[in-house]
Each structure stands twice: as C-alpha cells, then as structure tokens.
Amino acid sequence: GLFVPESFAEAEEGAPVLDELATTRNGRDVTRGFVDNLTVLTPQDTVLQLRCQGNYQLYEEILRDDQVAATFMQRRMAVIARELEVVAGGPGAADQRAADHLREVIDHIKWDAVTAKMLFGVFYGFAVGECLWARDGATITLDKVKVRKQRRFRWSPDGALKLLTATNVAGERMPERKFWTFSTGADNDDEPYGLGLAHWLYWPTLFKRNGIKFWMLFLEKFSGPTAVGHYPRNATEEDKRRLLGALRAIQLDSGVALPEGMAVSLIEAARSGTADYTALVARMD
C-alpha cells in the first residue's frame, strides 16, 4: 500500500505541503537507522569509517603528499586571486552605506586569508569558522572569523553543531549564528559532513607512499653489490670485528684496510623481471 503522511492527507487539494517529510529524524532515514538517541551523527564516509575509524586526523596525512599539497594550494590560491566586488542593493543612500560598511568589514577580517582556510572544507568535506562579533558604536559588526579544526566538531541528529571537548566527548551544543559552516561533495543534503577530496585521495596517496618506500629498499638492495668478508679459521673475535668494520667502510670510503690473511669479495644481486616504481608513483600522482 501507499503510505500517505498525515500532513499531506490533511492538506487541501492542490495546496502545497509545507512540512518536511523526508526528515532524518524519528527513524525516517533508513540509511542511518534510528538516530534520535545518538548524541552526534557519524560521518557516512566509508573510507573514513573503515580505514580511519572516523578520525579526520588521518586525512591530514594526505596533505603531506607533495602532489596533493601543490595542486590543492594552486586551486585555493586561484580562488582567492579573483577580484571581490560589493554591489549596493539599490540606488539609495542607505544601500550605499551598507555596501561601504560591508567593504570595510571584508577588508578588516582579511577575507582572502579566511577564505584560503575555509576552502580546506573542499578537502575534508566541511569547514567551520567561528564568527567573533564586536560592538561598533550602536551596531554589532563582524570583528574576526577564526577557522577551526574540522575534527573538533560533530553534528547532532537535529542539525545542531557540537564542539567536542576533553570534558564532554558527547559535544557541547554551539549557539546559533555564532559559527559559519558549509559542507560539500556529498550527493544529498542529509550528510552534514559532506564528502571531501580526501575520500578519493586516500588510496592513491597510500599506494604512492608505500611504493616510494619499496623503491628506496629496491635501490638500496640492487644499486650496489654486497661486500662479503672472508676470515681464516684461527681468526679471533677482534679480527672478525675489524673485518666487519672494513666491510661497512666499503659503502662510504674509496679505500679500506684489511687485517692480514683476510679477503673481501663482492656479490652482485641478481633479479628477474622489472620493478618500475616510477610508473607506479606517476600513476598515483
């Protein structure tokens, strides 16, 4: 049968339904289950949950990748390089004064610097900026916007922003009109955390990081021969230590001194096939 919400049934024929029907509360969101008893919502980012246990701190490691850092900075700088224009809402004097005041506020709060930090929300999926209000004569004005770390915040099932603290892991409910937030990347409006670029960058950067590690091991193993020392049967422990020291010196020095009666040979490491780590790293980039 067809389920008809009560608010829809009571509406007059042809009149629009003003209530929100597909709410995420009251167990109506089957993708989350019944969340009304939860203190905070859990991000639905599958990589974040399965690989990072819901901790955005691991996503911060992705930004250490040289390719990610360079390209993401280039895009953020391209955004803030655009000219900013404030246009008065009308021809009246009050409209012009409002526009002039807004220009002063934007200049005062260093809008480009704020924007550069808030754009990290594209990477994580959401961003949080705290608005610091101040009195300017008889008016209330925006004095500063301080961009906060995303992983310090969560959302409650009713859409309220909550600050996680050492004394309140369930989160303190933040007041309205105090924080500027945005989310992006998700394919719906039910996900307040959004879905950032880090979701797609996690695996390529992980493969690249491990590929470079194995590349270094490969170069260490195959770039130079292994030195082998030969000592006579009657060699003392001191003789053996001196020989081992000489072998170590081969890696750094052009010439070494060996104890009498001892010899050194070089073993070239053999391998088959190819190990094209450059192609792997380039592909992950």
Side-chain angles (χ1 to χ4, degrees):
L2 177 65
F3 171 73
V4 180
E6 183 179 353
S7 57
F8 182 80
E10 293 177 352
E12 297 181 7
E13 185 176 354
V17 178
L18 302 181
D19 296 335
E20 183 181 1
L21 303 182
T23 177
T24 58
R25 284 173 278 176
N26 302 321
R28 295 177 65 81
D29 185 356
V30 296
T31 65
R32 291 185 184 271
F34 196 78
V35 299
D36 284 14
N37 292 330
L38 299 178
T39 56
V40 295
L41 288 177
T42 301
Q44 292 188 304
D45 183 341
T46 53
V47 173
L48 186 69
Q49 292 302 323
L50 297 177
R51 302 293 300 181
C52 313
Q53 290 75 50
N55 188 351
Y56 283 91
Q57 187 172 3
L58 193 57
Y59 275 179
E60 296 173 14
E61 291 296 312
I62 299 175
L63 288 170
R64 296 175 57 190
D65 181 89
D66 61 307
Q67 186 75 359
V68 172
T71 53
F72 189 51
M73 177 180 291
Q74 183 186 52
R75 299 312 300 268
R76 287 188 298 113
M77 294 302 103
V79 172
I80 66 173
R82 299 301 90 195
E83 292 295 331
L84 177 64
E85 183 181 9
V86 178
V87 180
D95 299 319
Q96 191 58 53
R97 285 196 300 271
D100 292 339
H101 176 69
L102 181 55
R103 292 188 190 96
E104 293 175 0
V105 170
I106 288 175
D107 183 64
H108 175 73
I109 66 174
K110 297 178 175 58
W111 177 250
D112 283 350
V114 173
T115 304
K117 296 184 183 75
M118 286 296 287
L119 282 173
F120 276 95
V122 178
F123 178 82
Y124 293 104
F126 72 103
V128 179
E130 183 173 358
C131 300
L132 302 183
W133 304 100
R135 287 192 176 275
D136 183 11
T139 63
I140 300 294
T141 186
L142 186 59
D143 184 46
K144 290 181 182 178
V145 176
K146 291 193 173 185
V147 181
R148 304 302 188 185
K149 204 69 169 175
Q150 287 88 348
R151 56 187 168 95
R152 298 178 60 194
F153 297 89
R154 293 292 186 271
W155 266 271
S156 67
D158 63 355
L161 183 68
K162 304 188 79 174
L163 173 65
L164 305 180
T165 66
T167 57
N168 190 345
V169 294
E172 299 176 5
R173 194 183 185 92
M174 295 291 99
E176 298 289 338
R177 302 178 65 182
K178 177 63 175 171
F179 287 86
W180 165 30
T181 66
F182 81 88
S183 64
T184 185
D187 61 357
N188 60 82
D189 291 323
D190 297 333
E191 178 54 82
Y193 300 95
L195 192 65
L197 294 175
H199 171 81
W200 290 276
L201 291 170
Y202 176 81
W203 289 110
T205 53
L206 179 66
F207 293 152
K208 176 184 174 181
R209 188 162 56 246
N210 282 281
I212 292 177
K213 179 180 71 175
F214 290 126
W215 192 1
M216 295 298 102
L217 293 174
F218 174 86
L219 292 177
E220 181 181 4
K221 184 173 184 179
F222 291 102
S223 62
T226 301
V228 180
H230 304 272
Y231 57 86
R233 294 179 181 275
N234 60 348
T236 63
E237 290 299 322
E238 178 60 26
D239 292 334
K240 295 177 183 179
R241 282 194 293 269
R242 291 172 59 191
L243 177 60
L244 186 59
L247 295 176
R248 293 196 182 102
I250 291 177
Q251 304 296 326
L252 302 175
D253 301 328
S254 58
V256 294
L258 295 176
E260 184 179 359
M262 298 184 181
V264 169
S265 62
L266 299 178
I267 298 178
E268 294 283 354
R271 65 179 178 90
S272 61
T274 60
D276 196 351
Y277 291 100
T278 56
L280 170 65
V281 172
R283 174 61 178 165
M284 293 306 101
D285 280 342

